[in-house]
Amino acid sequence: MGGILSSSNSSKQKQKDANRAKAAASVSQIDRAMLDLKNSRDRLSRYKARLEKDEEKLISRAKAAKAAGKTKSALQLLKVKKMKRNEVDSVENQ
């Protein structure tokens, strides 16, 4: 019965837990860096999708403006679309 409650077993267990914590700490820096990269990639892909969606809306608004006889506003919308396209291209290059 003394073996179950002995301090040598609990000290060994504490030492094993401490070694596991040290091993986990050294890996967690690498894991943290990988997680940050993945999050950045996901944010960029969501941003790119949003820009492309905005580009489609701008095209439809420009067509509607042209049909309504507002050529200048249609051209402005197409310029904004071009800026969005350039931004999408720069996001793809990252």
Side-chain angles (χ1 to χ4, degrees):
M1 187 157 141
I4 296 173
L5 300 175
S6 70
S7 63
S8 64
N9 282 342
S10 64
S11 66
K12 287 180 184 178
Q13 185 64 29
K14 288 179 184 177
Q15 186 178 12
K16 287 181 182 179
D17 290 341
N19 288 340
R20 287 184 193 145
K22 287 180 185 178
S26 65
V27 174
S28 81
Q29 291 176 352
I30 294 169
D31 289 341
R32 172 56 63 190
M34 289 176 60
L35 181 63
D36 289 343
L37 286 173
K38 289 178 182 179
N39 286 337
S40 296
R41 180 197 61 204
D42 293 343
R43 269 194 314 264
L44 282 174
S45 65
R46 285 192 305 266
Y47 183 61
K48 178 185 168 192
R50 186 176 52 196
L51 286 174
E52 289 174 346
K53 189 176 179 181
D54 288 346
E55 185 180 354
E56 291 174 9
K57 287 180 183 178
L58 287 169
I59 290 171
S60 65
R61 286 177 55 196
K63 286 180 182 179
K66 177 66 175 164
K70 299 178 182 178
T71 308
K72 287 186 179 182
S73 64
L75 288 174
Q76 282 298 109
L77 289 169
L78 290 175
K79 286 180 184 179
V80 172
K81 180 197 102 35
K82 185 177 179 181
M83 288 179 5
K84 294 275 187 180
R85 173 51 44 194
N86 289 338
E87 203 167 339
V88 167
D89 292 340
S90 69
V91 167
E92 285 178 351
N93 291 334
Q94 288 182 359

